[in-house]
Amino acid sequence: MTRQENLKRRNRVLRSSNRPHLATIPAPNPQPVTRKRKRSPMPLSSKPTQRNGHKTRLKKIIRDEEETAIQNGSATRSRRSAPKRQPSLSASNRSTRSDARNPDQQDPATYRNSAAALDQLSDMSNGPTPLQVHSSRKRSQSPVRAPSPSKESSSDKSQNSRTVTKKESLALMSPPVRFAPFATIAEPGRGLPPLAQRLWMHYLRPACSSTVSCIPDTLKDRLEALSSTPSGRQPQIAPGAFCTPARHRLQAPLGTPSEPFAYHPADHEYIAEVVFDVHRMAETWRNRCHEDYWIDIVVAPLVHLVRKLTNFHVDGDKNQTPRLAVINLKSTEIKPTSLISTTDADLFKALNKNINLAIGLNLFQSQLRELQMRRYSLQPTNPSINQVQSYFHLTPMFVNIEVKKEHQAQDPLIQLGAWVAAEFNKRSAEEWPMDMPVVAIEIERDRWSMYIVYHVPKDDGRFSLRFLGPKSMGTTSEIEGIFRILYVLCTLAKWGEEVYRGWFYGVHGLSEGYDG
């Protein structure tokens, strides 16, 4: 007898006895007890995130709204279900859905109501869902990002790449800029304006001559003691490169002043240190640096050396104010922009019109006060005596320098031509004399070349500019070439002190006294 049969028998006995309340003991469940199966952990990638839970709640709200619209028969057109998905109906509406499928088994009024509800449900596919409305609102609130310059179309790049790369294009400027070699002028400098002829015959021609010595004789022993260079080569210096001031005067070509430039004896050691350092840096970094660094370690030290020499200080005293100024023009633009005019504006739109360095006159406080009291500008609110309106707008410049590393597409004369043309346009606008030339120096790696720039008048009142050159100044690849470059720069500085300063004072009516 089984346990269940025993329990039933016991209950019958208890009911017939005086203790019927004990017969309420329930019989055990005949089905076997099954243990609850342990769920496996959900993989990390399938766990619902907060964002998925938010979407689930939105979908539930949409389903509830659609079911309410079907029940009330007033669903709006601005909401629709997801494509290819029928909304889930509640249990109370399943009969309506089944009646709609079997119109023969329902009341006609009920069929019409359910059919209308289904039509409204299908019409909701013409409008956005609440989820889409929510997403569109969120996108409309975010700011619109500008297109990246790197994703510019190739057609726009080709249009912007049209710019000046050859010096011949400077003939389209106003004034037109043209180039002529020194061979086109007859010796001794005939065919040049008087001041340009004086600059060439009395200053630059003897300084650039290879027969004229440019190294002080006192540095001969020090140069001979220089054993080697970083490249392992011995510095080759011709014996005739050393000279004394007396020998220098005898070597001067016919027609030059009796007193050519000569270094002050107190500067000889300092000159040797700078020249050796420039040569060492040029040998070390010639093929391993960019343009700006080359200017800092090779070009700028030579140009600033000229400013620091005793010859170009007041009364030969280095404690006094220097009479020359070296200006860094890398980040300076021509202003006002009307000083640059061309016949093809698009061609010069992307042209970089600034240069690297310039050598000018260092005016003194009394002279600056005289200039500031006058209106030397196209714009009276910002007076200027040159083609810029920055912090050195009252500095007269007579040597302009542009540097380019070797094997570059753009000719350095492009920027020099635009810069010098703006200076002559400034003179023309202010009705200043146009007869004073300026000097332009182009540097390509180690090679230094020089141009004399002067104006050529025309019969119709206009003028053009002529770049006469190039004339080699020397090279920084050898010691003797660096001394030659330094000597030519000092000769140009001497011309600026003796000729250009007097012309500038006469044009602007300045006094010649120095106030220190």
Side-chain angles (χ1 to χ4, degrees):
M1 184 179 294
T2 62
R3 185 170 178 267
Q4 186 176 5
E5 293 175 351
N6 290 333
L7 288 174
K8 288 180 180 180
R9 182 180 177 182
R10 178 176 175 273
N11 288 337
R12 286 195 302 268
V13 171
L14 290 174
R15 288 192 194 98
S16 60
S17 65
N18 296 329
R19 296 178 293 179
H21 60 280
L22 297 177
T24 58
I25 300 176
N29 189 5
Q31 296 181 357
V33 179
T34 59
R35 292 186 179 180
K36 190 174 181 180
R37 196 171 185 181
K38 196 171 184 180
R39 297 179 61 183
S40 59
M42 185 180 297
L44 183 62
S45 59
S46 62
K47 289 186 178 180
T49 60
Q50 184 179 0
R51 184 175 179 182
N52 293 335
H54 179 63
K55 289 184 177 180
T56 305
R57 288 194 297 271
L58 284 176
K59 292 179 180 180
K60 186 176 183 302
I61 293 172
I62 294 171
R63 286 198 302 269
D64 294 343
E65 290 179 354
E66 290 173 350
E67 291 174 1
T68 305
I70 294 174
Q71 293 176 5
N72 299 333
S74 60
T76 59
R77 286 182 174 272
S78 61
R79 297 174 181 176
R80 66 178 178 84
S81 61
K84 297 182 181 181
R85 180 176 179 179
Q86 296 295 338
S88 60
L89 302 178
S90 60
S92 61
N93 293 332
R94 288 174 184 172
S95 61
T96 305
R97 183 70 178 268
S98 61
D99 293 341
R101 293 177 181 176
N102 302 294
D104 297 336
Q105 301 178 4
Q106 65 176 350
D107 184 71
T110 305
Y111 173 76
R112 285 194 300 270
N113 293 336
S114 61
L118 291 176
D119 292 340
Q120 292 176 354
L121 181 61
S122 61
D123 291 339
M124 288 192 297
S125 61
N126 297 327
T129 63
L131 180 61
Q132 292 174 335
V133 172
H134 174 76
S135 301
S136 63
R137 289 177 182 174
K138 189 174 181 180
R139 287 194 301 268
S140 63
Q141 294 175 359
S142 60
V144 181
R145 296 181 60 185
S148 174
S150 60
K151 296 181 180 180
E152 188 180 9
S153 61
S154 58
S155 59
D156 295 339
K157 290 182 179 179
S158 60
Q159 293 177 1
N160 296 336
S161 61
R162 183 174 180 264
T163 183
V164 181
T165 57
K166 301 298 181 181
K167 64 181 183 180
E168 288 75 16
S169 301
L170 294 176
L172 301 175
M173 296 187 62
S174 178
V177 178
R178 294 181 172 86
F179 299 86
F182 277 96
T184 58
I185 60 173
E187 293 292 342
R190 296 174 183 175
L192 295 177
L195 290 177
Q197 181 179 358
R198 182 180 179 184
L199 170 61
W200 168 244
M201 294 297 301
H202 293 183
Y203 293 91
L204 295 180
R205 180 167 169 258
C208 296
S209 176
S210 58
T211 60
V212 176
S213 305
C214 59
I215 304 177
D217 189 63
T218 56
L219 297 178
K220 184 176 182 179
D221 295 337
R222 180 158 186 179
L223 289 175
E224 291 177 350
L226 186 63
S227 59
S228 62
T229 61
S231 60
R233 295 178 299 175
Q234 297 289 337
Q236 300 294 330
I237 301 177
F242 302 95
C243 71
T244 60
R247 183 183 175 187
H248 198 172
R249 285 193 296 268
L250 292 175
Q251 288 181 340
L254 183 64
T256 58
S258 57
E259 291 294 334
F261 177 79
Y263 297 108
H264 194 280
D267 296 330
H268 289 179
E269 290 296 324
Y270 179 60
I271 292 172
E273 291 178 4
V274 175
V275 170
F276 295 158
D277 184 70
V278 168
H279 181 258
R280 186 182 306 109
M281 298 301 288
E283 289 289 326
T284 304
W285 296 98
R286 178 171 292 112
N287 300 319
R288 296 192 294 154
C289 69
H290 51 78
E291 179 181 310
D292 292 340
Y293 190 66
W294 184 260
I295 295 174
D296 293 340
I297 63 175
V298 176
V299 179
L302 284 177
V303 180
H304 281 281
L305 175 59
V306 179
R307 176 182 61 87
K308 297 176 183 179
L309 293 178
T310 305
N311 305 67
F312 304 110
H313 280 74
V314 177
D315 298 330
D317 186 3
K318 286 192 174 183
N319 295 323
Q320 299 292 331
T321 305
R323 295 186 292 182
L324 296 178
V326 177
I327 309 164
N328 188 342
L329 301 171
K330 185 64 177 178
S331 59
T332 304
E333 297 181 353
I334 298 172
K335 287 187 178 180
T337 56
S338 58
L339 294 178
I340 291 293
S341 58
T342 65
T343 58
D344 191 348
D346 295 336
L347 190 62
F348 289 84
K349 184 179 298 183
L351 174 63
N352 185 7
K353 306 176 186 66
N354 56 2
I355 59 176
N356 297 114
L357 297 169
I359 302 177
L361 302 178
N362 191 16
L363 302 181
F364 302 96
Q365 295 299 325
S366 60
Q367 299 166 344
L368 292 175
R369 284 193 295 268
E370 292 183 45
L371 289 176
Q372 290 171 351
M373 295 173 62
R374 305 172 185 178
R375 293 171 54 183
Y376 291 130
S377 176
L378 299 176
Q379 299 177 358
T381 58
N382 194 351
S384 173
I385 63 171
N386 48 36
Q387 63 270 46
V388 299
Q389 294 180 357
S390 60
Y391 59 94
F392 53 89
H393 60 285
L394 298 178
T395 302
M397 296 174 286
F398 56 91
V399 177
N400 309 278
I401 304 173
E402 172 61 19
V403 182
K404 280 286 182 291
K405 289 301 293 291
E406 200 172 24
H407 308 304
Q408 288 196 0
Q410 184 171 337
D411 196 319
L413 287 175
I414 299 296
Q415 293 166 240
L416 283 171
W419 182 266
V420 175
E423 178 179 351
F424 278 88
N425 280 334
K426 173 70 174 180
R427 295 185 190 179
S428 177
E430 300 287 356
E431 298 182 354
W432 296 338
M434 307 285 287
D435 55 344
M436 176 58 66
V438 296
V439 178
I441 297 177
E442 65 166 344
I443 302 174
E444 291 188 271
R445 198 176 179 180
D446 290 299
R447 298 185 300 271
W448 292 50
S449 302
M450 175 190 60
Y451 294 82
I452 299 176
V453 186
Y454 59 94
H455 102 295
V456 179
K458 297 183 179 180
D459 297 335
D460 56 359
R462 297 181 295 176
F463 66 95
S464 63
L465 293 181
R466 180 167 297 173
F467 275 63
L468 185 62
K471 186 66 176 179
S472 176
M473 297 172 57
T475 175
T476 55
S477 60
E478 52 188 31
I479 292 288
E480 186 177 354
I482 298 176
F483 273 105
R484 177 69 62 185
I485 292 172
L486 179 62
Y487 186 76
V488 175
L489 289 176
C490 292
T491 303
L492 286 173
K494 184 174 184 291
W495 168 77
E497 277 292 306
E498 296 176 352
V499 181
Y500 190 87
R501 186 182 287 272
W503 173 86
F504 181 80
Y505 285 178
V507 170
H508 298 281
L510 299 179
S511 59
E512 297 184 3
Y514 298 106
D515 56 6

